[in-house]
Amino acid sequence: MADQPSFEELVAQLEERARKLEAGNIPLEEAMTTYEEGAALVEQLRKLLGEAELRVQRLQGNLEEGAAFQEDAEPYDEPAPSDDAG
């Protein structure tokens, strides 16, 4: 599997294409291709954000389950040592 670009790299690529389109001094066909590339980058970024959101939700769920488990657990107090050792 090929290395996928990071979120930050994809954002930089998208910004580069946006600057190119905003400059407005490129032929129409090149502008359309640049726009299509930008749209594909947006989809990749949405996918990465969706995956990150799922990971955060899972982590939050795990934390909430752990907190609920701790609330339900009875406190453990070690018995005090007795004086009648003997």
Side-chain angles (χ1 to χ4, degrees), residues 13-80:
Q13 291 175 26
L14 181 59
E15 289 173 342
E16 175 187 325
R17 281 154 181 84
R19 279 191 296 274
K20 192 174 183 180
L21 288 170
E22 288 172 354
N25 57 356
I26 58 175
L28 178 60
E29 193 59 38
E30 186 178 345
M32 294 298 297
T33 300
T34 301
Y35 180 85
E36 290 169 347
E37 291 169 353
L41 288 167
V42 167
E43 284 305 310
Q44 284 182 278
L45 289 164
R46 282 187 180 144
K47 181 180 175 191
L48 287 174
L49 285 173
E51 291 169 359
E53 183 178 9
L54 284 175
R55 286 177 63 190
V56 168
Q57 288 174 355
R58 283 188 199 118
L59 288 170
Q60 286 177 332
N62 289 343
L63 289 173
E64 289 169 4
E65 286 176 17
F69 177 75
Q70 287 179 348
E71 289 173 6
D72 292 343
E74 296 197 17
Y76 174 76
D77 290 329
E78 208 171 298

Side-chain angles (χ1 to χ4, degrees), residues 3-20:
D3 288 333
Q4 288 199 340
S6 70
F7 181 83
E8 292 77 12
E9 290 168 334
L10 291 172
V11 168
Q13 291 175 26
L14 181 59
E15 289 173 342
E16 175 187 325
R17 281 154 181 84
R19 279 191 296 274
K20 192 174 183 180

